């Protein structure tokens, strides 16, 4: 935004009360509508120092340099003691605190992951033990114990009416005993039918 195109002096020349030349080094970076920007830079660094600095820089670097000078001048006026250093120190402190929080979070996550791994290994080991138990007869032993406790509550004499059950406590013996009971009841039923047919109504 050159002064020759707007016919208005830049903020620097206007502040310094001088005629703005077409080759003015301040004109591209201190437009007329931003007078406070140059006033702060001039108050902190001085116009001559800024001019010398811009002349030593490549034109592609001047805009960044002016923005840095303007920010530093603004911070210095807000905080005359620390200026930009105070802001940088605050940001570094926040960065260190965030790094500490991140480290703590990673440590907690590692603990949870370790606990989860131990739990998964325990469950896997338990499943393997159950499978091995079913293979080596442990499950069969458990079923046998169940039948034993069942017969403790219901003895064979009570279940089969005192009949001599062959086969001991085996399942086949129980089946044979039920067959004996069936054979025992059928003759009795037959005898009852015969008795009813021989009764004299008179």
């Amino acid at each position: 935004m050159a002064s020759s195109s707007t016919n208005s002096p830049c903020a620097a020349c206007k502040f310094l009360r001088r005629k703005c030349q077409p080759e003015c080094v301040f004109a591209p970076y201190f437009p007329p509508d931003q007078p406070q920007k140059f006033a702060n830079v001039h108050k902190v660094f001085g116009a001559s120092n800024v001019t010398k600095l811009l002349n030593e820089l490549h034109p592609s670097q001047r805009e960044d340099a002016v923005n840095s000078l303007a920010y530093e001048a603004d911070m210095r006026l807000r905080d005359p003691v620390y200026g930009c250093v105070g802001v940088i120190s605050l940001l570094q402190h926040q960065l260190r605190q965030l790094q500490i929080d991140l480290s703590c979070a990673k440590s907690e996550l590692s603990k949870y992951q370790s606990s989860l791994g131990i739990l998964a290994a325990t469950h896997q080991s338990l499943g393997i033990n159950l499978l091995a138990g079913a293979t080596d007869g442990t499950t069969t032993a458990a079923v046998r114990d169940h039948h034993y406790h069942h017969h403790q509550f219901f003895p064979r004499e009570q279940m089969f009416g005192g009949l001599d059950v062959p086969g001991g406590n085996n399942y086949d013996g129980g089946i044979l005993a039920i067959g004996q009971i069936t054979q025992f009841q059928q003759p009795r039923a037959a005898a009852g039918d015969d008795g009813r047919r021989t009764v004299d109504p008179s």
Side-chain angles (χ1 to χ4, degrees):
M1 187 182 295
S3 59
S4 60
S5 62
T6 60
N7 296 323
S8 176
C10 66
C13 293
K14 187 175 182 179
F15 183 84
L16 298 173
R17 297 182 180 181
R18 68 185 186 186
K19 184 179 180 180
C20 189
Q21 301 295 330
E23 65 277 2
C24 177
V25 71
F26 295 123
Y29 316 110
F30 296 100
D33 57 347
Q34 297 181 7
Q36 193 60 40
K37 180 179 180 180
F38 179 79
N40 293 340
V41 172
H42 173 67
K43 186 174 184 179
V44 174
F45 299 102
S48 60
N49 292 328
V50 177
T51 302
K52 182 180 179 180
L53 175 65
L54 294 179
N55 288 329
E56 293 176 353
L57 293 175
H58 191 273
S60 62
Q61 300 174 337
R62 291 176 181 176
E63 184 176 2
D64 292 336
V66 169
N67 292 333
S68 297
L69 291 174
Y71 180 78
E72 291 181 18
D74 185 59
M75 290 295 103
R76 178 65 64 180
L77 293 175
R78 293 184 183 184
D79 186 356
V81 177
Y82 296 104
C84 290
V85 176
V87 178
I88 294 172
S89 299
L90 178 61
L91 293 176
Q92 288 179 343
H93 174 73
Q94 293 177 353
L95 179 60
R96 286 193 297 267
Q97 186 62 42
L98 291 175
Q99 289 175 343
I100 293 173
D101 295 341
L102 179 60
S103 178
C104 293
K106 288 182 178 180
S107 178
E108 291 294 328
L109 180 61
S110 178
K111 291 180 182 179
Y112 285 122
Q113 289 176 342
S114 298
S115 300
L116 183 62
I118 294 174
L119 183 61
T122 303
H123 285 180
Q124 183 179 5
S125 177
L126 181 60
I128 294 174
N129 291 337
L130 290 176
L131 181 61
T135 304
D136 61 11
T138 305
T139 305
T140 306
V143 174
R144 188 184 304 112
D145 292 340
H146 171 74
H147 285 293
Y148 172 78
H149 291 293
H150 179 76
H151 287 296
Q152 290 294 323
F153 286 101
F154 301 99
R156 286 191 304 145
E157 291 78 3
Q158 182 179 353
M159 292 175 61
F160 303 113
L163 295 176
D164 186 12
V165 180
N169 291 332
N170 293 334
Y171 177 77
D172 295 338
I175 297 298
L176 293 176
I178 293 174
Q180 290 182 4
I181 294 173
T182 305
Q183 294 176 2
F184 175 74
Q185 289 178 346
Q186 289 178 352
R188 289 184 58 185
D193 294 339
D194 295 340
R196 285 194 295 271
R197 285 195 298 268
T198 58
V199 171
D200 187 0
S202 62

